Amino acid sequence: MKKYTGKSVYKGIAMGPLLVMKKNDDLVKRSRIEDTEAEIARVSEAIEVSQGQLQRLYDKALKEVGEANAAIFEVHQMMLEDDDYLEAVYNMIRTQMVNAEYAVAVTGDNFSEMFANMDDEYMKARAADVKDISNRLIRSLSGSQDVDLTAAGPSVIVADDLSPSETVQMDKSKILAFVTIHGSTNSHTAILARMMNIPALVGVPLDLEELSSGMIAVVDGFQSEVIFDPAEEIKVETEKKIKEAQEKQNLLQTLKGKENCTLDGKRIDIFANIGSAADVGYVLENDAGGIGLFRSEFLYLGRNDFPSEEEQFNAYRQVLQNMAGRKVVIRTLDIGADKQVDYFNLGKEDNPAMGYRAIRICLTQTDIFKTQLRALFRAAVYGNLSVMYPMITTVEEVQKIHEIAEEVCRELDEHQIPYKMPEQGIMIETPAAVMISDELAPIVDFFSIGTNDLTQYTLAIDRQNERLDAFYNPHHKAILRMIRMVADNAHAAGKWVGICGELGADVALTGEFLRMGVDELSVAPSMVLKVRQRVREIRVEE
Ligand code: PEP
Ligand code: MG
C-alpha cells in the first residue's frame, strides 16, 4: 500500500483498477542495437497491434459518429502500410543501428514536416496524421497503453500529464478518476475533469514505473490523496465514503426545480459550462438554467482537420434543440495557449498564453472565423443562442468582429440560407478589457467575465504552471475590484454581466457576487446545485 498527496481538482471519491499512460517522450530514447533484423521484426509486430487498435476505433466510430467521421481510422490503417514511410524506418534501423522507437519517432517527425510544408491544404493536414500513427506505433512498440479506452473497463487514469486534446478524446464513461504527476489546478484538463464530475488529483509526486495497469487505487479528492494497492480496511472505508458522497449528492438533487433566489428575494441565473454537444446531458441532469459557456474550441481538438461548417452547425443545432429555448452562450474558437491543434500549424511560441490565440487567430485567419460564424448564425434559428468572443482587448477588435459578422449575414442573405443574428457579447478576461469596459459595454449585448485568464493576466501568473498554484489567488482584491468595475459598467449601459470562469462556482464569494449585481454565474454542471444551495442561504442585505 502506498499513499501520495496532490492537489485536488474535483472533490469526489473513486476506487478501481489503474490504467497507466506513459508519454511518448519518455518512451523514445535513442539506443544502439546489434540485431537490426530483430528490431525490424518488432516494428512488424507493433504494426499488427496498431492495426488491431485502429480497426476497433473504426468500428466504434462507425457506430457512434458515422462512416464519414470514421474514415480517418481507415486512412491511418493505410498510412501504416505506406512503403515510403516503412522503408525510411527500416533504413534508419539498418544504417544507424538504432532502436525501433527512435527510428519511428524521427521518421514520423521528418514525414510530418514534409507534409506540413506542402502547398495543398489536404496534404498539409496529413502532417498530424503521420504524427498520430507514429505515436501509436511507438506506444505499441513499448507495450504501453493506448489512449483509446475501448478495450478497458472503467479505470483510474494515471499519467505524467494530460493535454486537453487527450482528455477530450477519452470515453468519459470509462474514467473513474484522473491522477497526474504534473498539471495545474487551473488548466483546461482540470476544468474538463470538473465538468465530468470526475475525482481528479494533479501534482502527485509519484513514479509511473512503480505502477502497473490493473492495480487497485483509491482517489480521494476531499483529502487530496491517492492510495495504491489499499489495505482491506481502507477499501471498506472507501466504499462507505463513496456511499456518503452519493447520499450528499442525492440531497442536492432535492434542489432541482427550485429557484436561484436568496432569502430576501434576489434572483440570479445559474448556467453551466460545457465543451461538447454530448455534455448537454450533464447540464440537464443538474438542472442548469442554460449554458453560459460552450467552449467551442473543443470541437477542433483531438482530430486531424478542421470541423466543416456542416459538422459545426449540427453540433450547435443539437445543443440548442436539446436546451429547448433556454439560453445557450457559445464562445467562438479559443485555440492556442494550452489548447494546441497540430493542423492549425501555429508554430512554436516562447509565451503561448500571451501569444497567437483566440480572437487573434480569428481576426487574422478570417476564413476559419467566418466558417464558424456561418454555422452559428444558421444554428441560431433552432433555439436561444448568444455568441461571445474571447480574449478581447480593444474596441477596434469588437468593431472588426461586427464587420465580419455583418459580412457573413450578407453572404447568407445572398444565398437565401436561413439564419438569425444572435445576441453578441464578449468575454472580459484581460485587464485591458476591464479598464475600458465602460467603452465596450455600449457596443456589445453582454459581458461574461473569464476569471481564469483574468487572474492569470492580472497577477502575471501562468495558469498552466503548477509551481505557481499557491500564488494563483483569484480572491485577490484586484480581481474582485475588477469584477465590480465590469458589473457597474455593464449595468450603466443596460447590459447583463455574467461570470464564466471557475471563480463563479466559488461559494465563498456567491454573496459578494450577488451584492455586486452579477446577473449570471456559469459553472461546471456538477456545481450548479451546490451554488443554488448557497444562493438560497444568503440574505443580500446583510
Ligand atoms: C476564463 O478564462 O475564465 C474562461 C472561462 O475561459 P477558459 O478557461 O476556457 O480560458
Ligand atoms: Mg479564458
Side-chain angles (χ1 to χ4, degrees):
M1 183 169 107
K2 263 201 162 145
K3 185 149 96 177
Y4 295 89
T5 47
K7 288 174 277 188
S8 178
V9 165
Y10 177 73
K11 290 191 179 4
I13 181 159
M15 177 163 65
L18 283 187
L19 187 69
V20 183
M21 281 175 41
K22 291 182 185 158
K23 274 256 184 288
N24 283 7
D25 296 356
D26 299 336
L27 305 173
V28 182
K29 301 229 163 56
R30 183 185 175 130
S31 58
R32 190 182 159 78
I33 48 102
E34 296 302 330
D35 189 347
T36 53
E37 292 318 300
E39 207 59 14
I40 287 171
R42 283 184 62 222
V43 178
S44 306
E45 274 170 40
I47 290 176
E48 216 169 289
V49 173
S50 302
Q51 291 285 21
Q53 291 169 349
L54 287 166
Q55 188 59 44
R56 279 198 298 279
L57 281 173
Y58 175 80
D59 293 342
K60 179 171 178 267
L62 187 65
K63 262 193 252 138
E64 291 176 4
V65 288
E67 198 171 344
N69 292 316
I72 188 64
F73 298 116
E74 260 184 343
V75 173
H76 282 199
Q77 281 180 305
M78 283 187 302
M79 285 175 122
L80 263 183
E81 287 165 3
D82 182 77
D83 286 340
D84 290 340
Y85 174 79
L86 293 178
E87 264 321 300
V89 173
Y90 298 154
N91 251 336
M92 195 165 174
I93 294 176
R94 287 200 180 104
T95 56
Q96 298 186 28
M97 317 258 313
V98 287
N99 55 323
E101 287 87 343
Y102 185 75
V104 170
V106 173
T107 308
D109 283 349
N110 291 344
F111 272 63
S112 159
E113 201 177 319
M114 185 175 80
F115 278 112
N117 288 329
M118 289 182 179
D119 288 333
D120 183 286
E121 284 305 314
Y122 178 82
M123 296 311 277
K124 245 191 186 24
R126 302 287 72 78
D129 294 304
V130 179
K131 266 225 169 100
D132 231 26
I133 60 154
S134 303
N135 286 340
R136 179 176 298 286
L137 209 48
I138 292 166
R139 285 198 298 275
S140 302
L141 274 165
S142 5
S144 86
Q145 287 286 348
D146 190 19
V147 179
D148 156 47
L149 302 174
T150 32
S155 313
V156 173
I157 311 286
V158 188
D160 187 54
D161 201 356
L162 289 169
S163 70
S165 70
E166 281 168 327
T167 318
V168 87
Q169 281 181 83
M170 291 180 178
D171 178 349
K172 293 158 191 133
S173 64
K174 297 271 180 75
I175 307 170
L176 293 173
F178 286 119
V179 178
T180 62
I181 299 176
H182 298 290
S184 119
T185 49
N186 310 299
S187 68
H188 282 95
T189 301
I191 288 172
L192 281 170
R194 236 169 264 142
M195 188 183 66
M196 299 187 286
N197 288 8
I198 292 175
L201 295 182
V202 297
V204 185
L206 44 85
D207 181 358
L208 286 187
E209 294 307 322
E210 286 181 3
L211 304 174
S212 51
S213 293
M215 199 183 233
I216 296 296
V218 168
V219 181
D220 187 337
F222 298 101
Q223 302 296 333
S224 306
E225 64 185 27
V226 51
I227 303 171
F228 298 107
D229 208 0
E232 208 45 47
E233 69 264 22
I234 303 268
K235 284 190 193 166
V236 174
E237 204 180 301
T238 304
E239 302 267 12
K240 213 172 109 207
K241 283 189 188 164
I242 291 176
K243 219 167 136 222
E244 279 167 11
Q246 190 55 50
E247 276 160 14
K248 270 203 192 125
Q249 203 53 37
N250 292 347
L251 204 65
L252 278 181
Q253 302 302 308
T254 60
L255 290 174
K256 280 188 184 172
K258 300 256 167 75
E259 289 215 67
N260 310 314
C261 190
T262 63
L263 292 173
D264 48 352
K266 185 159 175 59
R267 263 168 250 282
I268 188 164
D269 279 327
I270 305 179
F271 289 0
N273 296 345
I274 64 166
S276 78
D279 298 334
V280 174
Y282 301 121
V283 178
L284 299 174
E285 236 171 69
N286 291 286
D287 195 30
I291 291 170
L293 168 65
F294 177 176
R295 291 182 163 94
S296 71
E297 62 276 8
F298 284 110
L299 288 176
Y300 293 70
L301 297 185
R303 50 185 296 146
N304 300 308
D305 207 347
F306 293 96
S308 65
E309 179 183 327
E310 229 33 48
E311 205 177 318
Q312 292 190 56
F313 164 70
N314 283 328
Y316 304 146
R317 185 183 58 171
Q318 192 186 333
V319 172
L320 286 161
Q321 284 179 326
N322 288 340
M323 289 302 289
R326 292 190 233 181
K327 193 188 271 298
V328 176
V329 183
I330 302 184
R331 168 175 79 188
T332 57
L333 188 60
D334 185 8
I335 224 76
D338 61 324
K339 288 171 284 195
Q340 289 293 330
V341 185
D342 283 350
Y343 59 82
F344 270 75
N345 292 316
L346 295 179
K348 197 170 152 28
E349 293 179 296
D350 285 341
N351 220 337
M354 296 205 186
Y356 188 51
R357 59 173 289 198
I359 205 68
R360 299 166 186 181
I361 297 178
C362 291
L363 289 177
T364 45
Q365 302 195 45
T366 44
D367 46 339
I368 299 175
F369 192 34
K370 283 173 74 178
T371 303
Q372 181 170 38
L373 292 182
R374 262 197 307 275
L376 284 165
F377 296 175
R378 285 172 55 203
V381 173
Y382 296 87
N384 182 2
L385 176 67
S386 303
V387 171
M388 74 176 169
Y389 305 103
M391 283 293 290
I392 298 298
T393 54
T394 66
V395 166
E396 290 72 26
E397 282 164 352
V398 179
Q399 286 164 341
K400 182 84 192 126
I401 291 168
H402 286 159
E403 278 167 30
I404 296 173
E406 279 156 23
E407 199 176 307
V408 166
C409 292
R410 272 198 305 279
E411 287 166 9
L412 289 168
D413 277 331
E414 268 167 35
H415 292 91
Q416 297 183 337
I417 298 170
Y419 73 94
K420 210 168 116 190
M421 188 65 155
E423 189 183 41
Q424 292 180 86
I426 57 170
M427 290 194 66
I428 301 287
E429 48 186 349
T430 64
V434 173
M435 297 312 290
I436 59 163
S437 51
D438 57 337
E439 289 180 44
L440 290 167
I443 59 168
V444 299
D445 294 323
F446 65 93
F447 285 156
S448 185
I449 307 175
T451 50
N452 308 335
D453 277 317
L454 186 58
T455 306
Q456 146 164 281
Y457 296 126
T458 305
L459 304 186
I461 286 178
D462 178 359
R463 66 193 265 196
Q464 288 298 115
N465 187 340
E466 66 218 53
R467 287 167 68 193
L468 300 178
D469 274 355
F471 296 95
Y472 183 98
N473 174 19
H475 284 216
H476 194 295
K477 260 190 221 152
I479 308 296
L480 298 177
R481 285 186 196 169
M482 281 179 162
I483 297 174
R484 181 179 292 278
M485 182 172 170
V486 171
D488 288 347
N489 284 331
H491 292 148
K495 309 295 164 71
W496 66 268
V497 57
I499 298 178
C500 63
E502 297 298 292
L503 198 64
D506 188 334
V507 289
L509 292 174
T510 311
E512 201 150 343
F513 294 150
L514 280 158
R515 274 172 217 116
M516 289 179 190
V518 170
D519 302 285
E520 174 245 29
L521 297 171
S522 191
V523 302
S526 56
M527 292 302 292
V528 169
L529 293 172
K530 266 188 212 148
V531 178
R532 175 173 299 164
Q533 188 179 39
R534 181 71 197 119
V535 168
R536 293 170 64 84
E537 293 165 355
I538 291 173
R539 199 175 286 281
V540 180
E541 291 308 315
E542 273 166 10

